[in-house]
Amino acid sequence: MNYANFPLDKRMPLPNADQEKGEDFIDVERLLGMAARQAKVVAVCALIGVFLGVIYLQTTPKQYTAVSSVLIDEGLNKVVDDISAASATMQTDSSMLSQIEILTSARLASVVVDKLKLDQNPAFMNPPQSALVKGIGFLRGAVGYFRSSSADQIPGMENVDEATREAMIKTATHDYAVLKLQSEVLAQRNGRSYVISIGYQAADPALATAITKAYADAYLADQLNASFDATERAAVWLQGRLSELRQSSQEAALAVEKFRAEHGLSANSDGQLMSDKQLSDLNAQLIVAQADTARASARYHQYKAIVDSGSESAFNDSAIGADQPSSSVIIALKTRYLAIAKRLQDVETNFGKDHPQAIALAKEKSDVSAQIFGQLKQLTESYRNDYEVAQARETAMREKISTAAGKSSIDNQSQVKLKELDQQSQALTTLYQTFLSRYEEASQQQSFPVGKVRIISDATMPLSASSPRTLRVVALSLVLGLMLGAGFGGLNEFNERFFRTGEDIRDRVGLKFLGYLPTIGGGRAKESKPDDLPADGKVASLSAAEKRARMRVSIDAPASMFSETLRNAKIAFDVVMEDRASRVIGVISVLPGEGKSTVAANLAGLLAANGAKTLLIDADLRNPGLSRSLGMEAEQGLMEAVVNGQTWQSVGKVDRQTKLAIIPAVLRGQFSHTSELLGSAGMRRFIENAKETFEYIIVDLPPLGPVVDAKAFAPLVDGFVMVTEWGRTPRAMVRSMLEAEPYIANKVVGAVLNKVDLKKLAKYGSLGGSERFFDRYSTYYLEKSEARAKQAA
């Protein structure tokens, strides 16, 4: 199968690693590999961080912190709360935060500054500073030097006398001390308790203790003064309010009495109005009069009925009570009447009705009956008079009640207004009594110095420094150093866009990986300017012997890893081009300095040493680094042969040891038409002539990036071997170059990684990858051959 005839997109044996694993998959193995590769960077940054931490500890003065604890105690104020008119509570978080704000207020700081005269204390105003703070201060001073202005430059200050200026400076110093103390004092609540810790940190432990104690005392005094001031203000306000209430209460009481007098609303001992009392009495009298009228009416009508019934039935119907007037006369007549009637009955029974005695008794009985009827008529007339009198009395009583009821209604209406005035008077009196009681309580509370704050832990002299804490600073410096190292390591990994392993070549650009070419000579040399840069990327300061030795590694050390990789490349293009008797192999790279000339020379030397007829052509006509490295000083080269139509024999040189034929390139000024030369018919005739003699024609072509010479020569090439420098050749550039030039890409047999640092290579290999087992391959690579190659280099 001709592998080189497959297009680039069909020769990718493995998919992109990122696409295969998925965007959301966390590759732990890759992360561990990154950590291993950047371990030195992280370690160096960690050491730098620890070193800076130690320097910080050595240059930072020690700070001492004194702490005092105060309790917001509700129990201390219970006695005051029992007599206080307004009891405050401290049960919410907002109230505790308010107390902390009081502690850190400018007023309290000013009290402490004045008490301890901190504005005159150099240890407070100018404490020792660390080197870091001094450096920052120096930078700020340098920046602010051009912005700041002295007192003489402030408008209006030129006319201020010396005394006023000193007073202003003193005031400014005091304000600065207050502001400094306010910003440095520490006040915080202990958990969810009612305890607040007050602290201050200073380089002098005695100063820290003194300031902390002064703060606690000032806070306690401030609480007492605040309670006293509040009570005093309340008492003054109550006193003014009492005068107003006293006057209002008196005016209301006078209005009640005045209204009562104007409307005659006098009351008896029971508090009842006189009109109501009079109406009540008249109603009682009316009831009696009504009873008397009813009784008189009953008697009158009773006797009137008897009289109207006639004299015959008057005797039988009359029933006279003993208490009635003329009752004795009527009773005597009735007794006489009954006696006569009995005698008349006896006479009539014995003698008959015509008996004279019977007639006389009947006449006497009639006379007595007439007398009784006469008495009844008189009694009836008397009852009639009594009845009329009772009626007249009842009528008169009703008229009096009507008059009294009218007056009572008017009085009751006035009574409503009177009650309203009386209620207002009583309310003002009650309010006055309440305010008077509170005023007395407030007056007594002024002389009761008990607050809700007490000191439960007084500040003591600190025995050890609170900062800087050595262990914490070192640990923090170490962590910051590790973080910085991780950041630099991550940045290095982010900037890692180069080929490191064979998987990168297969996965990123879809080329066959031919093997690793280790660095020759044990390390990288410094790069020089592009004009002086030879083909292998090393400086021109190398000696001619060293350059030639680099071109003969595969010959001097045939059992080395370098030679083994070139053998793998030979097998690759032998398999692809097995049907061709003569094979033209172009050695290319993307960028200059990747070592393609070294690879081409060693590949050609390896083929020649194995007995194959090999021709090595330096086709880099603009920068013939291969010819310079081999030390070939020729008058004519490839350009002259192609231009003049000569064969390889006219310009070629043969290595006596390996019989390798070499066509050098001679630099002829600024010749810019090299691509036309390499793609010309003369170049085709030259190559066809060489194919008649050689099995392998190795062509060292210019890099693909700067010039198009390799593209022009591509039709004459059977296959390309791409050289990429380990850790220097950008993957994206190689891929874009191959995608832009599919004709070249289809002819690339494979790629080699050149200048590989075998000690670092294992860090980039995956677990189980061949890169991690190169140390086991050493038994198959002869050390003596490696040693000779290094000596030659």
Side-chain angles (χ1 to χ4, degrees):
M1 178 182 295
N2 191 345
Y3 179 81
N5 292 329
F6 281 93
L8 179 62
D9 54 353
K10 294 183 179 179
R11 292 194 291 115
M12 295 183 183
L14 294 176
N16 191 292
D18 295 337
Q19 297 176 354
E20 178 183 7
K21 297 181 181 179
E23 296 179 357
D24 298 333
F25 181 75
I26 299 177
D27 193 345
V28 179
E29 179 181 340
R30 185 180 177 186
L31 294 177
L32 293 177
M34 292 179 181
R37 290 191 293 271
Q38 304 299 329
K40 288 185 178 180
V41 176
V42 175
V44 170
C45 291
L47 291 176
I48 293 175
V50 173
F51 177 72
L52 294 177
V54 172
I55 293 178
Y56 174 78
L57 290 173
Q58 296 297 325
T59 57
T60 302
K62 294 183 178 181
Q63 298 290 323
Y64 298 86
T65 303
V67 180
S68 179
S69 299
V70 296
L71 172 65
I72 312 300
D73 193 357
E74 291 289 332
L76 286 177
N77 212 27
K78 286 183 178 180
V79 178
V80 179
D81 287 343
D82 292 338
I83 63 172
S84 176
S87 175
T89 58
M90 301 292 290
Q91 299 178 355
T92 60
D93 292 340
S94 58
S95 60
M96 295 300 295
L97 292 175
S98 299
Q99 295 301 316
I100 294 177
E101 289 297 324
I102 293 174
L103 276 168
T104 57
S105 63
R107 183 170 60 86
L108 209 62
S110 179
V111 172
V112 176
V113 169
D114 294 338
K115 181 179 179 181
L116 299 180
K117 298 182 179 179
L118 295 178
D119 54 342
Q120 304 176 13
N121 190 338
F124 174 79
M125 298 297 291
N126 299 305
Q129 297 177 343
S130 63
L132 178 62
V133 175
K134 290 180 179 179
I136 295 175
F138 175 77
L139 293 178
R140 288 181 177 177
V143 173
Y145 174 77
F146 300 99
R147 299 181 180 179
S148 62
S149 58
S150 61
D152 294 334
Q153 297 172 336
I154 299 176
M157 286 298 295
E158 59 275 4
N159 299 325
V160 177
D161 56 5
E162 189 66 26
T164 304
R165 183 176 301 177
E166 291 180 359
M168 293 176 65
I169 295 175
K170 185 176 181 181
T171 302
T173 304
H174 181 272
D175 294 341
Y176 171 76
V178 171
L179 182 61
K180 183 175 183 296
L181 181 61
Q182 183 183 2
S183 62
E184 293 177 352
V185 68
L186 306 175
Q188 62 181 6
R189 182 182 181 185
N190 292 347
R192 304 295 298 175
S193 65
Y194 292 102
V195 177
I196 297 178
S197 296
I198 306 172
Y200 187 79
Q201 189 178 75
D204 185 4
L207 179 62
T209 305
I211 292 177
T212 304
K213 287 183 176 181
Y215 243 106
D217 294 339
Y219 178 59
L220 181 60
D222 180 77
Q223 291 292 313
L224 293 175
N225 293 334
S227 177
F228 178 81
D229 293 341
T231 306
E232 184 178 13
R233 286 193 297 270
V236 172
W237 182 83
L238 286 173
Q239 186 176 10
R241 185 62 177 155
L242 280 174
S243 301
E244 298 177 1
L245 289 175
R246 185 186 303 110
Q247 183 178 356
S248 299
S249 176
Q250 292 175 356
E251 291 176 354
L254 290 175
V256 170
E257 296 302 328
K258 183 178 180 181
F259 185 84
R260 181 181 286 117
E262 290 177 353
H263 293 80
L265 300 178
S266 59
N268 56 15
S269 59
D270 297 335
Q272 187 178 12
L273 294 175
M274 296 300 295
S275 58
D276 292 341
K277 178 64 175 174
Q278 184 180 2
L279 181 60
S280 177
D281 294 343
L282 288 174
N283 284 329
Q285 292 176 15
L286 176 60
I287 292 172
V288 174
Q290 287 177 344
D292 292 342
T293 303
R295 185 167 49 253
S297 176
R299 287 180 181 177
Y300 167 69
H301 288 94
Q302 178 184 4
Y303 282 92
K304 185 177 182 299
I306 294 174
V307 172
D308 292 341
S309 63
S311 62
E312 291 298 332
S313 59
F315 174 80
N316 294 326
D317 294 334
S318 63
I320 306 301
D323 58 342
Q324 300 298 327
S326 304
S327 59
S328 60
V329 177
I330 294 175
I331 291 174
L333 290 174
K334 289 184 70 173
T335 301
R336 181 181 173 188
Y337 179 84
L338 291 175
I340 294 173
K342 185 178 179 182
R343 285 176 60 192
L344 177 60
Q345 184 179 5
D346 289 342
V347 172
E348 288 179 353
T349 300
N350 292 326
F351 302 102
K353 293 183 180 180
D354 294 332
H355 189 276
Q357 189 177 359
I359 294 171
L361 288 175
K363 183 180 180 183
E364 185 179 1
K365 178 182 176 183
S366 178
D367 293 339
V368 173
S369 176
Q371 291 180 9
I372 291 175
F373 184 74
Q375 289 295 325
L376 288 174
K377 289 177 65 176
Q378 292 179 1
L379 187 59
T380 298
E381 187 67 23
S382 175
Y383 283 155
R384 186 182 65 84
N385 293 333
D386 291 341
Y387 172 64
E388 291 177 355
V389 170
Q391 279 187 329
R393 183 182 173 207
E394 182 181 353
T395 301
M397 193 62 65
R398 288 184 183 276
E399 292 177 356
K400 290 183 179 180
I401 289 176
S402 178
T403 303
K407 186 176 185 305
S408 178
S409 177
I410 296 174
D411 291 346
N412 287 334
Q413 294 178 3
S414 301
Q415 183 72 9
V416 174
K417 181 64 175 178
L418 179 63
K419 287 183 178 179
E420 180 182 355
L421 294 175
D422 188 57
Q423 289 176 354
Q424 184 178 2
S425 175
Q426 291 179 1
L428 289 174
T429 302
T430 303
L431 186 61
Y432 172 72
Q433 294 295 333
T434 302
F435 271 75
L436 181 60
S437 176
R438 292 189 176 183
Y439 172 72
E440 294 296 334
E441 293 172 359
S443 299
Q444 293 298 325
Q445 190 176 348
Q446 288 182 0
S447 58
F448 202 80
V450 176
K452 295 184 179 181
V453 178
R454 65 187 177 98
I455 300 175
I456 61 174
S457 177
D458 202 0
T460 58
M461 183 78 70
L463 300 179
S464 60
S466 59
S467 68
R469 297 183 179 180
T470 304
L471 183 60
R472 180 176 297 181
V473 171
V474 172
L476 181 60
S477 302
L478 178 61
V479 171
L480 292 178
L482 291 174
M483 293 176 62
L484 183 63
F488 280 119
L491 183 62
N492 291 338
E493 292 294 328
F494 179 77
N495 293 329
E496 182 62 48
R497 298 290 187 270
F498 313 107
F499 292 106
R500 292 291 186 177
T501 63
E503 291 182 359
D504 292 340
I505 291 179
R506 289 190 293 266
D507 297 342
R508 303 292 182 176
V509 297
L511 296 179
K512 182 177 180 180
F513 178 59
L514 301 179
Y516 297 102
L517 295 175
T519 302
I520 300 175
R524 298 180 183 272
K526 294 182 180 179
E527 296 182 356
S528 62
K529 297 181 181 179
D531 296 337
D532 300 331
L533 191 65
D536 58 358
K538 301 303 177 181
V539 294
S541 60
L542 294 175
S543 63
E546 290 174 342
K547 294 178 182 179
R548 286 193 296 271
R550 290 177 182 276
M551 300 296 177
R552 298 176 59 84
V553 174
S554 60
I555 300 173
D556 296 337
S560 64
M561 182 179 178
F562 191 95
S563 301
E564 195 66 25
T565 298
L566 296 180
R567 289 190 185 95
N568 187 42
K570 173 185 179 300
I571 293 174
F573 56 72
D574 280 347
V575 171
V576 173
M577 309 169 195
E578 60 181 353
D579 56 342
R580 300 182 185 181
S582 180
R583 299 154 188 173
V584 180
I585 309 298
V587 181
I588 58 174
S589 65
V590 174
L591 297 174
E594 295 185 271
K596 61 176 180 57
S597 299
T598 303
V599 173
N602 282 279
L603 177 60
L606 178 67
L607 294 173
N610 291 337
K613 294 180 179 180
T614 307
L615 174 64
L616 176 62
I617 300 177
D618 186 359
D620 193 351
L621 300 179
R622 301 191 187 189
N623 185 19
L626 176 63
S627 300
R628 286 197 299 265
S629 299
L630 292 175
M632 302 180 66
E633 299 180 358
E635 295 294 332
Q636 294 184 346
L638 177 64
M639 181 183 302
E640 290 75 13
V642 173
V643 172
N644 299 326
Q646 301 176 6
T647 61
W648 69 271
Q649 292 89 349
S650 61
V651 293
K653 297 182 179 297
V654 179
D655 182 76
R656 287 175 294 180
Q657 181 181 353
T658 60
K659 308 302 180 182
L660 173 65
I662 304 174
I663 305 297
V666 179
L667 185 62
R668 299 292 183 181
Q670 298 295 330
F671 184 72
S672 59
H673 302 290
T674 55
S675 58
E676 287 83 353
L677 180 65
L678 293 176
S680 64
M683 178 59 72
R684 182 178 295 275
R685 288 192 298 269
F686 184 85
I687 294 297
E688 293 297 334
N689 177 261
K691 284 183 177 181
E692 297 174 357
T693 306
F694 299 100
E695 300 178 32
Y696 297 98
I697 300 175
I698 308 300
V699 183
D700 179 20
L701 293 170
L704 294 174
V707 294
V708 298
D709 294 10
K711 304 174 188 177
F713 189 75
L716 305 179
V717 175
D718 296 322
F720 287 105
V721 175
M722 177 167 285
V723 179
T724 58
E725 185 174 358
W726 186 80
R728 299 293 293 275
T729 303
R731 297 190 297 256
M733 187 173 184
V734 173
R735 187 176 186 88
S736 63
M737 188 68 67
L738 294 177
E739 290 177 351
E741 303 295 337
Y743 185 74
I744 294 179
N746 292 335
K747 288 189 174 184
V748 175
V749 178
V752 295
L753 273 176
N754 192 27
K755 304 179 186 180
V756 179
D757 189 342
L758 296 179
K759 294 182 180 179
K760 297 181 180 180
L761 179 62
K763 296 180 181 180
Y764 293 91
S766 61
L767 294 177
S770 61
E771 294 82 6
R772 295 181 177 267
F773 299 94
F774 279 156
D775 56 342
R776 298 190 182 184
Y777 296 174
S778 59
T779 56
Y780 287 88
Y781 303 141
L782 297 180
E783 297 180 359
K784 291 182 179 179
S785 298
E786 293 282 359
R788 286 198 302 270
K790 291 180 179 180
Q791 290 176 1

